[in-house]
Amino acid sequence: MRNRPIPGSSGLVRAMSLLGDPVLHAPCETVTDFSGGLRTLIEDMFATMYAAEGVGLAANQVGVPLRVFVYDCPDDEDVRHLGHIVNPRLVEADGVTVRGAEGCLSLPGLEAGTERFDHAVVEGVTAEGEPVRVEGTGFFARCLQHECDHLEGRVYTDRLRGWRRARAGWSVRRADWGTSASPAIEARGPGRSPSKGGAKSSPVGD
């Protein structure tokens, strides 16, 4: 069997959008153009994710407001999940609610205990327009929910409440990149609990 190219091997590392950038805080647009430009974007997203040592990345994290994300993420049994999804829909998010450490490439150096369901299913298409259904448990389910949140204009700090939300705001203000970003936490309103449709600490995508 012929070996496939390593994802991102032909891609370019793009600049990362950080908390407070408007592109991170608005819903992304549906992909309608499946030309070569989409495949280039996906390659660049893989290259950027690997360079930042993340396990997932949404298109708006590189400044492109399209409904696409990539992932290379283990589950709790250390099984590797690798791929991309275009126009993803979170069709199932259920099971036990777990609060686990969650980080984000758009909030570098920070993490917080964030509640997620331990099972998730995402449906969408590939860059070639072929239907795809991805199911995850444990840490990979967290990744899938995290990336779907990004495409709706949410970051994980939007799900925090009480002292966890206050501490996240304090940490952002102290970060060397966070001077203009901290109002984004304060202005987003109260945190959310996991809702349908909507343990490790690697930056999920964010």
Side-chain angles (χ1 to χ4, degrees), residues 66-112:
L66 292 176
R67 299 185 69 83
V68 184
F69 70 78
V70 301
Y71 57 89
D72 187 348
C73 181
D75 58 26
D76 287 355
E77 284 69 50
D78 210 31
V79 175
R80 182 186 187 189
H81 301 268
L82 170 66
H84 70 273
I85 308 181
V86 180
N87 295 334
R89 295 177 294 112
L90 183 63
V91 297
E92 293 181 31
D94 53 22
V96 177
T97 300
V98 178
R99 177 180 289 120
E102 191 161 321
C104 180
L105 298 177
S106 292
L107 289 78
L110 306 185
E111 65 177 44

